[in-house]
Amino acid sequence: TQLLEQSPQFLSIQEGENLTVYCNSSSVFSSLQWYRQEPGEGPVLLVTVVTGGEVKKLKRLTFQFGDARKDSSLHITAAQPGDTGLYLCAGVRTGANNLFFGTGTRLTVIP
Amino acid sequence: GAGVSQSPSNKVTEKGKDVELRCDPISGHTALYWYRQSLGQGLEFLIYFQGNSAPDKSGLPSDRFSAERTGGSVSTLTIQRTQQEDSAVYLCASSLVKGWDTEAFFGQGTRLTVV
């Protein structure tokens, strides 16, 4: 059983469309991160959210941390082919330091 | 270099053989993580080292897997009597643990193929 479940697992959309990826857990996290991974590379951090209800924006990407700090979402506006990749959420559980990763969402943006 | 370095980048081994995977973390990073990633999937947590504390080994899938971190720096992940299901990319990451701020910096991974 995965600590962090992401949905959808796969997503293929046309350039210009909007999308949302979800990251859910039954555990409470002191912080939650989103990473993006390209083929042959390690994941690279996009954002960290810390406060319940927090919203952070990174250009066309909007990240939200749930009020109860158990879930998060990533919304991409007007997706571009360069957004293609594997998106991973990761969390640090309250009282711990090790970092657990979600199941991943593979996004393909078709030109 | 300034990043996390892993070696070898690729390893092909025969079933039943032992393998050692190496990770050189970013200098000064106290935390070191090992993860396993099957093709296109998420990251499976294996083991976590933090400073001089006892490592969190809760993610190791069997007693064939072990890891060491010598001198708080370089880490080696050892897989004994490899099986075909061990084939995956093994990723190492390091971080400075500052409260909630645990940005993990990853190496490029070691692709292990057991034949």
Side-chain angles (χ1 to χ4, degrees):
Chain A
T1 304
Q2 284 278 357
L3 190 62
L4 287 162
E5 295 283 347
Q6 287 184 238
S7 62
Q9 186 177 359
F10 297 96
L11 188 56
S12 182
I13 62 171
Q14 295 289 330
E15 182 177 359
E17 291 184 352
N18 301 333
L19 68 114
T20 302
V21 176
Y22 299 93
C23 174
N24 295 294
S25 177
S26 57
S27 298
V28 177
F29 293 89
S30 58
S31 67
L32 206 141
Q33 303 174 336
W34 285 91
Y35 289 77
R36 183 169 141 223
Q37 185 181 22
E38 300 196 25
E41 303 290 329
V44 176
L45 181 70
L46 296 174
V47 77
T48 300
V49 285
V50 179
T51 306
E54 182 177 1
V55 176
K56 279 192 175 179
K57 291 193 175 183
L58 185 66
K59 297 183 181 178
R60 294 177 294 101
L61 278 60
T62 302
F63 305 86
Q64 185 162 8
F65 200 9
D67 291 341
R69 308 212 311 275
K70 293 183 179 181
D71 54 81
S72 180
S73 64
L74 158 60
H75 182 79
I76 301 179
T77 304
Q80 298 179 1
D83 296 328
T84 294
L86 180 66
Y87 289 81
L88 296 156
C89 64
V92 178
R93 278 193 296 186
T94 303
N97 285 322
N98 48 347
L99 190 61
F100 289 93
F101 277 79
T103 48
T105 295
R106 181 162 298 283
L107 171 65
T108 302
V109 182
I110 303 166
Chain B
V4 177
S5 177
Q6 291 188 245
S7 60
S9 55
N10 281 283
K11 176 72 176 179
V12 179
T13 190
E14 292 181 351
K15 178 181 172 181
K17 298 284 178 106
D18 298 351
V19 294
E20 283 190 354
L21 312 180
R22 178 186 169 102
C23 173
D24 279 281
I26 293 173
S27 178
H29 279 192
T30 56
L32 187 146
Y33 315 78
W34 282 99
Y35 297 92
R36 180 168 70 175
Q37 186 174 35
S38 299
L39 187 61
Q41 301 300 307
L43 274 64
E44 176 188 2
F45 168 75
L46 296 178
I47 188 168
Y48 165 67
F49 296 90
Q50 167 54 27
N52 295 321
S53 301
D56 179 348
K57 303 180 181 180
S58 60
L60 294 178
S62 77
D63 59 7
R64 296 186 296 105
F65 288 72
S66 63
E68 291 185 342
R69 188 178 186 192
T70 53
S73 181
V74 171
S75 178
T76 302
L77 177 68
T78 301
I79 309 174
Q80 295 179 310
R81 305 180 302 281
T82 52
Q83 304 295 313
Q84 288 185 328
E85 61 262 30
D86 299 335
S87 296
V89 175
Y90 289 81
L91 288 161
C92 173
S94 69
S95 72
L96 274 173
V97 178
K98 299 181 292 182
W100 55 265
D101 184 0
T102 56
E103 177 180 358
F105 293 84
F106 281 83
Q108 291 192 315
T110 294
R111 181 175 297 278
L112 176 66
T113 304
V114 181
V115 298

PDB file of all heavy atoms in Angstrom, chain A residues 35-44 46 81-88 106-107, chain B residues 37 40 89 91 107-108 111:
ATOM      1  N   TYR A  35       7.618  17.174  -7.527  1.00  0.00           N
ATOM      2  CA  TYR A  35       8.808  17.031  -8.349  1.00  0.00           C
ATOM      3  C   TYR A  35       8.374  16.690  -9.776  1.00  0.00           C
ATOM      4  O   TYR A  35       7.309  16.127 -10.000  1.00  0.00           O
ATOM      5  CB  TYR A  35       9.686  15.884  -7.849  1.00  0.00           C
ATOM      6  CG  TYR A  35      10.404  16.141  -6.540  1.00  0.00           C
ATOM      7  CD1 TYR A  35       9.721  16.071  -5.321  1.00  0.00           C
ATOM      8  CD2 TYR A  35      11.766  16.426  -6.519  1.00  0.00           C
ATOM      9  CE1 TYR A  35      10.379  16.300  -4.128  1.00  0.00           C
ATOM     10  CE2 TYR A  35      12.439  16.647  -5.327  1.00  0.00           C
ATOM     11  CZ  TYR A  35      11.733  16.574  -4.144  1.00  0.00           C
ATOM     12  OH  TYR A  35      12.396  16.795  -2.948  1.00  0.00           O
ATOM     13  N   ARG A  36       9.267  17.005 -10.708  1.00  0.00           N
ATOM     14  CA  ARG A  36       9.058  16.584 -12.096  1.00  0.00           C
ATOM     15  C   ARG A  36      10.311  15.805 -12.534  1.00  0.00           C
ATOM     16  O   ARG A  36      11.443  16.213 -12.254  1.00  0.00           O
ATOM     17  CB  ARG A  36       8.849  17.781 -13.010  1.00  0.00           C
ATOM     18  CG  ARG A  36       8.552  17.373 -14.427  1.00  0.00           C
ATOM     19  CD  ARG A  36       8.094  18.546 -15.254  1.00  0.00           C
ATOM     20  NE  ARG A  36       8.671  18.452 -16.573  1.00  0.00           N
ATOM     21  CZ  ARG A  36       9.189  19.441 -17.250  1.00  0.00           C
ATOM     22  NH1 ARG A  36       9.203  20.638 -16.743  1.00  0.00           N
ATOM     23  NH2 ARG A  36       9.692  19.247 -18.446  1.00  0.00           N
ATOM     24  N   GLN A  37      10.065  14.703 -13.214  1.00  0.00           N
ATOM     25  CA  GLN A  37      11.156  13.845 -13.656  1.00  0.00           C
ATOM     26  C   GLN A  37      11.085  13.631 -15.154  1.00  0.00           C
ATOM     27  O   GLN A  37      10.026  13.296 -15.699  1.00  0.00           O
ATOM     28  CB  GLN A  37      11.098  12.490 -12.932  1.00  0.00           C
ATOM     29  CG  GLN A  37      12.273  11.587 -13.239  1.00  0.00           C
ATOM     30  CD  GLN A  37      12.162  10.255 -12.527  1.00  0.00           C
ATOM     31  OE1 GLN A  37      11.082   9.824 -12.147  1.00  0.00           O
ATOM     32  NE2 GLN A  37      13.294   9.587 -12.329  1.00  0.00           N
ATOM     33  N   GLU A  38      12.221  13.815 -15.808  1.00  0.00           N
ATOM     34  CA  GLU A  38      12.312  13.548 -17.240  1.00  0.00           C
ATOM     35  C   GLU A  38      13.095  12.251 -17.440  1.00  0.00           C
ATOM     36  O   GLU A  38      13.854  11.830 -16.559  1.00  0.00           O
ATOM     37  CB  GLU A  38      12.970  14.736 -17.939  1.00  0.00           C
ATOM     38  CG  GLU A  38      12.158  16.015 -17.741  1.00  0.00           C
ATOM     39  CD  GLU A  38      12.532  17.110 -18.700  1.00  0.00           C
ATOM     40  OE1 GLU A  38      13.038  16.808 -19.797  1.00  0.00           O
ATOM     41  OE2 GLU A  38      12.311  18.283 -18.357  1.00  0.00           O
ATOM     42  N   PRO A  39      12.922  11.609 -18.593  1.00  0.00           N
ATOM     43  CA  PRO A  39      13.566  10.300 -18.827  1.00  0.00           C
ATOM     44  C   PRO A  39      15.072  10.353 -18.612  1.00  0.00           C
ATOM     45  O   PRO A  39      15.751  11.266 -19.073  1.00  0.00           O
ATOM     46  CB  PRO A  39      13.222  10.005 -20.292  1.00  0.00           C
ATOM     47  CG  PRO A  39      11.951  10.757 -20.537  1.00  0.00           C
ATOM     48  CD  PRO A  39      12.068  12.015 -19.728  1.00  0.00           C
ATOM     49  N   GLY A  40      15.574   9.367 -17.879  1.00  0.00           N
ATOM     50  CA  GLY A  40      17.008   9.267 -17.661  1.00  0.00           C
ATOM     51  C   GLY A  40      17.561  10.210 -16.613  1.00  0.00           C
ATOM     52  O   GLY A  40      18.779  10.244 -16.398  1.00  0.00           O
ATOM     53  N   GLU A  41      16.694  10.954 -15.970  1.00  0.00           N
ATOM     54  CA  GLU A  41      17.138  11.916 -14.965  1.00  0.00           C
ATOM     55  C   GLU A  41      16.481  11.620 -13.623  1.00  0.00           C
ATOM     56  O   GLU A  41      15.462  10.919 -13.552  1.00  0.00           O
ATOM     57  CB  GLU A  41      16.778  13.347 -15.383  1.00  0.00           C
ATOM     58  CG  GLU A  41      17.339  13.765 -16.733  1.00  0.00           C
ATOM     59  CD  GLU A  41      18.839  13.934 -16.708  1.00  0.00           C
ATOM     60  OE1 GLU A  41      19.375  14.319 -15.633  1.00  0.00           O
ATOM     61  OE2 GLU A  41      19.487  13.673 -17.743  1.00  0.00           O
ATOM     62  N   GLY A  42      17.042  12.192 -12.557  1.00  0.00           N
ATOM     63  CA  GLY A  42      16.381  12.127 -11.275  1.00  0.00           C
ATOM     64  C   GLY A  42      15.307  13.194 -11.179  1.00  0.00           C
ATOM     65  O   GLY A  42      15.314  14.167 -11.936  1.00  0.00           O
ATOM     66  N   PRO A  43      14.370  13.049 -10.254  1.00  0.00           N
ATOM     67  CA  PRO A  43      13.336  14.079 -10.074  1.00  0.00           C
ATOM     68  C   PRO A  43      13.954  15.417  -9.651  1.00  0.00           C
ATOM     69  O   PRO A  43      14.966  15.453  -8.952  1.00  0.00           O
ATOM     70  CB  PRO A  43      12.462  13.508  -8.951  1.00  0.00           C
ATOM     71  CG  PRO A  43      12.734  12.043  -8.942  1.00  0.00           C
ATOM     72  CD  PRO A  43      14.161  11.905  -9.361  1.00  0.00           C
ATOM     73  N   VAL A  44      13.292  16.493 -10.056  1.00  0.00           N
ATOM     74  CA  VAL A  44      13.734  17.842  -9.704  1.00  0.00           C
ATOM     75  C   VAL A  44      12.585  18.561  -9.011  1.00  0.00           C
ATOM     76  O   VAL A  44      11.439  18.519  -9.494  1.00  0.00           O
ATOM     77  CB  VAL A  44      14.178  18.628 -10.950  1.00  0.00           C
ATOM     78  CG1 VAL A  44      14.535  20.068 -10.579  1.00  0.00           C
ATOM     79  CG2 VAL A  44      15.367  17.955 -11.606  1.00  0.00           C
ATOM     80  N   LEU A  46       9.880  21.090  -7.803  1.00  0.00           N
ATOM     81  CA  LEU A  46       9.142  22.228  -8.349  1.00  0.00           C
ATOM     82  C   LEU A  46       8.733  23.192  -7.235  1.00  0.00           C
ATOM     83  O   LEU A  46       8.899  24.402  -7.350  1.00  0.00           O
ATOM     84  CB  LEU A  46       7.886  21.745  -9.079  1.00  0.00           C
ATOM     85  CG  LEU A  46       8.103  20.880 -10.313  1.00  0.00           C
ATOM     86  CD1 LEU A  46       6.769  20.354 -10.828  1.00  0.00           C
ATOM     87  CD2 LEU A  46       8.807  21.681 -11.400  1.00  0.00           C
ATOM     88  N   PRO A  81       3.914  21.315 -24.682  1.00  0.00           N
ATOM     89  CA  PRO A  81       4.680  20.073 -24.831  1.00  0.00           C
ATOM     90  C   PRO A  81       5.852  19.970 -23.860  1.00  0.00           C
ATOM     91  O   PRO A  81       6.202  18.881 -23.413  1.00  0.00           O
ATOM     92  CB  PRO A  81       5.154  20.135 -26.285  1.00  0.00           C
ATOM     93  CG  PRO A  81       4.091  20.924 -26.978  1.00  0.00           C
ATOM     94  CD  PRO A  81       3.660  21.973 -25.980  1.00  0.00           C
ATOM     95  N   GLY A  82       6.424  21.093 -23.484  1.00  0.00           N
ATOM     96  CA  GLY A  82       7.530  21.087 -22.531  1.00  0.00           C
ATOM     97  C   GLY A  82       7.124  20.674 -21.121  1.00  0.00           C
ATOM     98  O   GLY A  82       7.981  20.418 -20.285  1.00  0.00           O
ATOM     99  N   ASP A  83       5.821  20.606 -20.876  1.00  0.00           N
ATOM    100  CA  ASP A  83       5.336  20.150 -19.565  1.00  0.00           C
ATOM    101  C   ASP A  83       5.336  18.629 -19.463  1.00  0.00           C
ATOM    102  O   ASP A  83       5.118  18.076 -18.379  1.00  0.00           O
ATOM    103  CB  ASP A  83       3.918  20.653 -19.306  1.00  0.00           C
ATOM    104  CG  ASP A  83       3.828  22.164 -19.223  1.00  0.00           C
ATOM    105  OD1 ASP A  83       4.803  22.798 -18.756  1.00  0.00           O
ATOM    106  OD2 ASP A  83       2.778  22.720 -19.627  1.00  0.00           O
ATOM    107  N   THR A  84       5.552  17.952 -20.570  1.00  0.00           N
ATOM    108  CA  THR A  84       5.558  16.489 -20.591  1.00  0.00           C
ATOM    109  C   THR A  84       6.587  15.947 -19.607  1.00  0.00           C
ATOM    110  O   THR A  84       7.714  16.429 -19.542  1.00  0.00           O
ATOM    111  CB  THR A  84       5.864  15.981 -22.010  1.00  0.00           C
ATOM    112  OG1 THR A  84       4.770  16.344 -22.865  1.00  0.00           O
ATOM    113  CG2 THR A  84       6.041  14.470 -22.027  1.00  0.00           C
ATOM    114  N   GLY A  85       6.173  14.949 -18.815  1.00  0.00           N
ATOM    115  CA  GLY A  85       7.077  14.340 -17.857  1.00  0.00           C
ATOM    116  C   GLY A  85       6.315  13.560 -16.804  1.00  0.00           C
ATOM    117  O   GLY A  85       5.085  13.443 -16.866  1.00  0.00           O
ATOM    118  N   LEU A  86       7.054  13.038 -15.855  1.00  0.00           N
ATOM    119  CA  LEU A  86       6.469  12.306 -14.728  1.00  0.00           C
ATOM    120  C   LEU A  86       6.415  13.253 -13.529  1.00  0.00           C
ATOM    121  O   LEU A  86       7.446  13.777 -13.096  1.00  0.00           O
ATOM    122  CB  LEU A  86       7.321  11.080 -14.392  1.00  0.00           C
ATOM    123  CG  LEU A  86       6.836  10.210 -13.226  1.00  0.00           C
ATOM    124  CD1 LEU A  86       5.510   9.535 -13.570  1.00  0.00           C
ATOM    125  CD2 LEU A  86       7.887   9.152 -12.894  1.00  0.00           C
ATOM    126  N   TYR A  87       5.224  13.490 -13.023  1.00  0.00           N
ATOM    127  CA  TYR A  87       5.027  14.384 -11.888  1.00  0.00           C
ATOM    128  C   TYR A  87       4.848  13.551 -10.626  1.00  0.00           C
ATOM    129  O   TYR A  87       4.015  12.635 -10.582  1.00  0.00           O
ATOM    130  CB  TYR A  87       3.833  15.305 -12.112  1.00  0.00           C
ATOM    131  CG  TYR A  87       4.127  16.351 -13.167  1.00  0.00           C
ATOM    132  CD1 TYR A  87       4.024  16.045 -14.517  1.00  0.00           C
ATOM    133  CD2 TYR A  87       4.545  17.630 -12.814  1.00  0.00           C
ATOM    134  CE1 TYR A  87       4.326  16.984 -15.489  1.00  0.00           C
ATOM    135  CE2 TYR A  87       4.849  18.582 -13.776  1.00  0.00           C
ATOM    136  CZ  TYR A  87       4.737  18.244 -15.109  1.00  0.00           C
ATOM    137  OH  TYR A  87       5.041  19.190 -16.068  1.00  0.00           O
ATOM    138  N   LEU A  88       5.619  13.872  -9.613  1.00  0.00           N
ATOM    139  CA  LEU A  88       5.641  13.105  -8.378  1.00  0.00           C
ATOM    140  C   LEU A  88       5.385  14.023  -7.197  1.00  0.00           C
ATOM    141  O   LEU A  88       6.041  15.060  -7.064  1.00  0.00           O
ATOM    142  CB  LEU A  88       7.005  12.438  -8.192  1.00  0.00           C
ATOM    143  CG  LEU A  88       7.392  11.386  -9.225  1.00  0.00           C
ATOM    144  CD1 LEU A  88       8.896  11.235  -9.298  1.00  0.00           C
ATOM    145  CD2 LEU A  88       6.747  10.056  -8.893  1.00  0.00           C
ATOM    146  N   ARG A 106       2.069  10.342 -15.146  1.00  0.00           N
ATOM    147  CA  ARG A 106       2.818  10.573 -16.387  1.00  0.00           C
ATOM    148  C   ARG A 106       1.978  11.424 -17.316  1.00  0.00           C
ATOM    149  O   ARG A 106       0.922  10.999 -17.777  1.00  0.00           O
ATOM    150  CB  ARG A 106       3.182   9.245 -17.042  1.00  0.00           C
ATOM    151  CG  ARG A 106       3.994   9.456 -18.335  1.00  0.00           C
ATOM    152  CD  ARG A 106       4.742   8.210 -18.764  1.00  0.00           C
ATOM    153  NE  ARG A 106       5.725   7.782 -17.786  1.00  0.00           N
ATOM    154  CZ  ARG A 106       6.918   8.352 -17.614  1.00  0.00           C
ATOM    155  NH1 ARG A 106       7.267   9.391 -18.349  1.00  0.00           N
ATOM    156  NH2 ARG A 106       7.756   7.885 -16.708  1.00  0.00           N
ATOM    157  N   LEU A 107       2.456  12.625 -17.580  1.00  0.00           N
ATOM    158  CA  LEU A 107       1.740  13.590 -18.421  1.00  0.00           C
ATOM    159  C   LEU A 107       2.382  13.664 -19.795  1.00  0.00           C
ATOM    160  O   LEU A 107       3.603  13.807 -19.903  1.00  0.00           O
ATOM    161  CB  LEU A 107       1.759  14.975 -17.772  1.00  0.00           C
ATOM    162  CG  LEU A 107       1.230  16.128 -18.626  1.00  0.00           C
ATOM    163  CD1 LEU A 107      -0.261  15.951 -18.913  1.00  0.00           C
ATOM    164  CD2 LEU A 107       1.497  17.465 -17.955  1.00  0.00           C
TER     165      LEU A 107
ATOM    166  N   GLN B  37      12.949   2.641  -8.506  1.00  0.00           N
ATOM    167  CA  GLN B  37      11.921   3.053  -9.455  1.00  0.00           C
ATOM    168  C   GLN B  37      11.834   2.044 -10.582  1.00  0.00           C
ATOM    169  O   GLN B  37      12.791   1.857 -11.333  1.00  0.00           O
ATOM    170  CB  GLN B  37      12.228   4.448 -10.006  1.00  0.00           C
ATOM    171  CG  GLN B  37      11.133   5.012 -10.893  1.00  0.00           C
ATOM    172  CD  GLN B  37      11.399   6.445 -11.308  1.00  0.00           C
ATOM    173  OE1 GLN B  37      12.548   6.830 -11.517  1.00  0.00           O
ATOM    174  NE2 GLN B  37      10.349   7.251 -11.431  1.00  0.00           N
ATOM    175  N   GLY B  40       8.880   3.807 -15.406  1.00  0.00           N
ATOM    176  CA  GLY B  40       7.801   4.774 -15.487  1.00  0.00           C
ATOM    177  C   GLY B  40       6.955   4.916 -14.241  1.00  0.00           C
ATOM    178  O   GLY B  40       5.946   5.615 -14.265  1.00  0.00           O
ATOM    179  N   VAL B  89      15.594   1.040 -11.671  1.00  0.00           N
ATOM    180  CA  VAL B  89      16.542   2.139 -11.504  1.00  0.00           C
ATOM    181  C   VAL B  89      16.617   2.462 -10.017  1.00  0.00           C
ATOM    182  O   VAL B  89      15.586   2.659  -9.363  1.00  0.00           O
ATOM    183  CB  VAL B  89      16.114   3.386 -12.295  1.00  0.00           C
ATOM    184  CG1 VAL B  89      17.056   4.550 -12.006  1.00  0.00           C
ATOM    185  CG2 VAL B  89      16.090   3.087 -13.783  1.00  0.00           C
ATOM    186  N   LEU B  91      17.739   5.056  -7.308  1.00  0.00           N
ATOM    187  CA  LEU B  91      18.026   6.487  -7.197  1.00  0.00           C
ATOM    188  C   LEU B  91      18.474   6.826  -5.791  1.00  0.00           C
ATOM    189  O   LEU B  91      17.906   6.367  -4.813  1.00  0.00           O
ATOM    190  CB  LEU B  91      16.776   7.309  -7.531  1.00  0.00           C
ATOM    191  CG  LEU B  91      16.361   7.346  -8.999  1.00  0.00           C
ATOM    192  CD1 LEU B  91      14.918   7.779  -9.136  1.00  0.00           C
ATOM    193  CD2 LEU B  91      17.262   8.282  -9.787  1.00  0.00           C
ATOM    194  N   GLY B 107      20.627  11.975  -7.761  1.00  0.00           N
ATOM    195  CA  GLY B 107      21.554  11.559  -8.789  1.00  0.00           C
ATOM    196  C   GLY B 107      20.779  11.069 -10.002  1.00  0.00           C
ATOM    197  O   GLY B 107      19.536  11.045 -10.003  1.00  0.00           O
ATOM    198  N   GLN B 108      21.504  10.654 -11.022  1.00  0.00           N
ATOM    199  CA  GLN B 108      20.852  10.197 -12.246  1.00  0.00           C
ATOM    200  C   GLN B 108      20.452   8.735 -12.177  1.00  0.00           C
ATOM    201  O   GLN B 108      19.801   8.226 -13.084  1.00  0.00           O
ATOM    202  CB  GLN B 108      21.765  10.448 -13.446  1.00  0.00           C
ATOM    203  CG  GLN B 108      21.910  11.934 -13.753  1.00  0.00           C
ATOM    204  CD  GLN B 108      22.557  12.170 -15.093  1.00  0.00           C
ATOM    205  OE1 GLN B 108      23.547  11.527 -15.425  1.00  0.00           O
ATOM    206  NE2 GLN B 108      22.002  13.096 -15.859  1.00  0.00           N
ATOM    207  N   ARG B 111      20.843   2.055 -13.351  1.00  0.00           N
ATOM    208  CA  ARG B 111      19.884   1.119 -13.958  1.00  0.00           C
ATOM    209  C   ARG B 111      20.431  -0.284 -13.801  1.00  0.00           C
ATOM    210  O   ARG B 111      21.463  -0.624 -14.380  1.00  0.00           O
ATOM    211  CB  ARG B 111      19.659   1.437 -15.426  1.00  0.00           C
ATOM    212  CG  ARG B 111      18.637   0.492 -16.092  1.00  0.00           C
ATOM    213  CD  ARG B 111      18.340   0.921 -17.521  1.00  0.00           C
ATOM    214  NE  ARG B 111      17.729   2.238 -17.559  1.00  0.00           N
ATOM    215  CZ  ARG B 111      16.455   2.474 -17.364  1.00  0.00           C
ATOM    216  NH1 ARG B 111      15.631   1.473 -17.104  1.00  0.00           N
ATOM    217  NH2 ARG B 111      15.975   3.700 -17.427  1.00  0.00           N
TER     218      ARG B 111
END
